[in-house]
Structure formats: C-alpha cells, structure tokens
Amino acid sequence: MKLLLTILGLLLLLYLVAGSWLYLKQRTLLYFPSPPIETDYDTMTVHNEGERIHITLTNPGQPHALLYWGGNGETVAAGAEIFAKALPHYSTYLIEYRGYGHSSGSPTETGILSDALAVYDAIKAKHQDISLFGRSLGTGVACYVAAQRKAKRLILITPYDSIESVARDRYPIFPLSLLIKDKYNSLERVPDIHANTIILIAEHDTVVPKTHAYRLAKAFPATQVEVYEVPGSHHNDIAQTEAYHQILKRVFDER
C-alpha cells in the first residue's frame, strides 16, 4: 500500500508539474514571432494601445481592400509579391501581429484582436468594401473582425473552431478551459458574422485536424458559406496546390 501511495504521489506531482509548465509556456507554444524583413512595397503603421502595428501594402488606392492575417509563424510581408500579382484590383494589407516583424509588443489574443479592429478602422474610409482573409491562427482574428465590423467576404484557410478545442485534442488530460489564456473561439462568433464566407480545408491537415474546420463550417447557415476540401494538401502546403489558386481566383474575380 505504501508503495502504491508513493507511485500515485509521484504521478500526481508529474501531472501538476506538466500542467504548470503548459500554463506558463502556452504562448510560446502558440506564437512563433517572425523576424522583420524589408520589401519594395509600401508600408504603413497603425498605432494602438501604445504599440506600433506594421503593415505591408500592395496595390494602394484600389476601391476594394483585403486585410490579411497569417499563421502563427508566418512572415506575411514575404507574400507581398504574390498578393500584388494575384489581386491587382485589391489593396491588400498584410498585417504583422504584435511582436512579429516590425510590430512592437508581445502577442496576446486581446492585443491582437484590438489591433485588428484598429487596422480596419484606420483604412475603412479609403475603400468601397473590405474583405477579410485569415490563414490558420489568422482565421480566428478574421472571424473576430467579421463579427465586429462590416465585411464583403470572409476567407478562411485551414481554420479551427477554437484554439481551446484544438488543444484539448492534444492535451486531453488537462483542464484546458481553466488553463488556456488565448482561446480564439471562432465558433461562438459565427452568429454575428454576416459576410459571405469561403472556407478551404487541407485534406491531410495534422496541425489543425479538419474535424475542427468542419465543425466551424457547419455553424454557418448553408446559404452563407462555401466549403472546399483541397485534395492531397496539408496544413502548410495548401497554398501550393492548383485547386487552392483556382478557388481563390474565382472568388476574387467576383468583385
């Protein structure tokens, strides 16, 4: 009996240590700030809550605008040439999260979401309409903005229902509803989203298993959402497939 109690005590200690580590390190597991890079494209800065949010801008002055939020380790400015060539009729704003690239501060959900609204409000008067585009982590940001502001369309690439839900699959033994600080609950925002929504899902996504994307998609009214599963694709290579570009070309040609 004494040996059993000792073993149980050690297991409990390991559980508490692991849970504490997960709690303390969770943001380093979620955010992977990318280094600053320089491009030949225009840039702008939006100031919010004492932070500087850096944005790379392609095709300025167009009537249609696109706000883009990338993945948790993405250098969004590196995609400027792709957006510039693929969307000549859109002014595209590639937004660096707090603590990413040239932006100041440290990434947190409350800060990133506040910055996202600040960017939207800073550019809305310049354009006839605004579309929102999020990839991976950025889908949670795009959903938040779509629930708070008017958007012509919402494009979500490899999205999730919530970060908490994804984490629960990975760490099922921990009470994640109590531990997670940054939940990015897109699912609960769906009732407030009125934009036409396009969702692209990677067939072999192991980073954000596609069950989470489908759970989000099913929460939208069927008349509001288009869902595409891109064959043969993974979380990080979906944008390299021909199907991905064909779908988005059709979407954005419908200006």
Side-chain angles (χ1 to χ4, degrees), residues 143-164:
C143 283
Y144 175 79
V145 177
Q148 299 289 325
R149 299 289 190 269
K150 181 180 180 180
K152 182 175 183 180
R153 61 173 63 87
L154 172 65
I155 302 98
L156 306 174
I157 310 300
T158 60
Y160 47 82
D161 45 354
S162 74
I163 291 295
E164 179 185 340

Side-chain angles (χ1 to χ4, degrees), residues 76-93:
V76 293
E81 183 175 0
I82 295 173
F83 280 100
K85 291 181 177 179
L87 302 175
H89 302 293
Y90 284 80
S91 295
T92 300
Y93 296 81

Side-chain angles (χ1 to χ4, degrees), residues 46-67:
V46 170
H47 295 272
N48 183 50
E49 299 178 344
E51 305 296 352
R52 305 180 315 277
I53 307 306
H54 186 267
I55 302 161
T56 300
L57 173 61
T58 70
N59 304 319
Q62 297 298 320
H64 309 288
L66 177 70
L67 301 184

Side-chain angles (χ1 to χ4, degrees), residues 15-30:
Y15 176 82
L16 293 174
V17 169
S20 298
W21 180 88
L22 186 63
Y23 177 78
L24 294 171
K25 295 292 185 180
Q26 60 182 280
R27 284 186 172 137
T28 64
L29 298 173
L30 179 59

Side-chain angles (χ1 to χ4, degrees), residues 168-197:
R168 195 181 300 120
D169 283 355
R170 293 189 179 185
Y171 310 103
I173 66 172
F174 296 106
L176 292 175
S177 61
L178 300 177
L179 295 177
I180 289 189
K181 299 175 183 178
D182 298 352
K183 298 184 178 182
Y184 292 97
N185 194 332
S186 296
L187 191 63
E188 72 175 13
R189 308 195 199 285
V190 170
D192 296 317
I193 297 174
H194 304 291
N196 291 328
T197 301

